[in-house]
Amino acid sequence: MVDANRNARQDIERVVDEWVSGDYLKVGDLFVIGCSTSEVIGKNIGTSGSEEVASILFDAMKKLQQQTGVNLVFQACEHINRALVMEKEISQKYQLEEVSVIPVPKAGGSMASYAYKNMENPVVVETVKADAGIDIGETMIGMQLKHVAVPLRFNQRFIGNARVASARTRPKLIGGVRANYENSNS
């Protein structure tokens, strides 16, 4: 497990470096993290959650937050309808309605449970429209992203044994042939 944790730490640090160097994030963005710690250690999703692995990933996400100014949002598992853990002040800023549940490893997942225990003033909300996010282990964060999601092709494609998918969003392009998408007056 020590080698697996070392690999996970190195892998997530590479992913964080790619997010930071890619300049995809803005201060205040909502950044959703979906994670199966079971998949990171090479097991099937939902079968072998690890708060030890969650702590490694949480620390890396906090570094991402410090370097970019994003607001972290941790998606729980399907047993609590993929609800999200975030700081109360962020939920209030976005006028999100709290729900009554506390994630635990067997109902919420190890990552969301760990985040809840380690945030300053955590709350759980039902849904968000995040600006960007990372999906570690195919946890299906798409429902938490704004329209239109743009996949990012990072060099680091795995964290431990879990596949990683990252995405940012952009505004919808609306209009027709005469629409202007640049910041000009023509």
Side-chain angles (χ1 to χ4, degrees), residues 103-137:
V104 295
K106 295 291 183 189
S110 293
M111 187 76 249
S113 175
Y114 187 88
Y116 191 90
K117 291 179 208 170
N118 288 278
M119 288 181 157
E120 288 183 32
N121 194 9
V123 296
V124 179
V125 300
E126 194 168 12
T127 187
V128 297
K129 290 295 180 188
D131 301 288
I134 183 171
D135 188 323
I136 304 166

Side-chain angles (χ1 to χ4, degrees), residues 45-47 76-83 101 104-109:
I45 193 168
T47 62
C77 76
E78 68 197 78
H79 297 101
I80 58 172
N81 299 332
R82 303 201 194 293
V101 68
V104 295
K106 295 291 183 189

Side-chain angles (χ1 to χ4, degrees), residues 167-182:
R168 65 174 179 82
T169 61
R170 66 160 174 77
K172 294 177 185 180
L173 301 176
I174 62 169
V177 294
R178 294 191 287 175
N180 183 359
Y181 302 112
E182 300 296 320

Side-chain angles (χ1 to χ4, degrees), residues 84-99:
L84 301 123
V85 177
M86 63 186 354
E87 293 288 357
K88 185 176 187 89
E89 71 181 70
I90 303 307
S91 74
Q92 291 173 334
K93 177 182 175 184
Y94 287 92
Q95 299 179 358
L96 300 171
E97 186 175 350
E98 289 181 45
V99 293

Side-chain angles (χ1 to χ4, degrees), residues 56-73:
I56 292 167
L57 302 176
F58 184 83
D59 290 346
M61 291 294 99
K62 291 298 280 183
K63 288 179 187 172
L64 176 71
Q65 181 180 42
Q66 292 164 355
Q67 292 178 6
T68 62
V70 298
N71 297 305
L72 301 178
V73 181

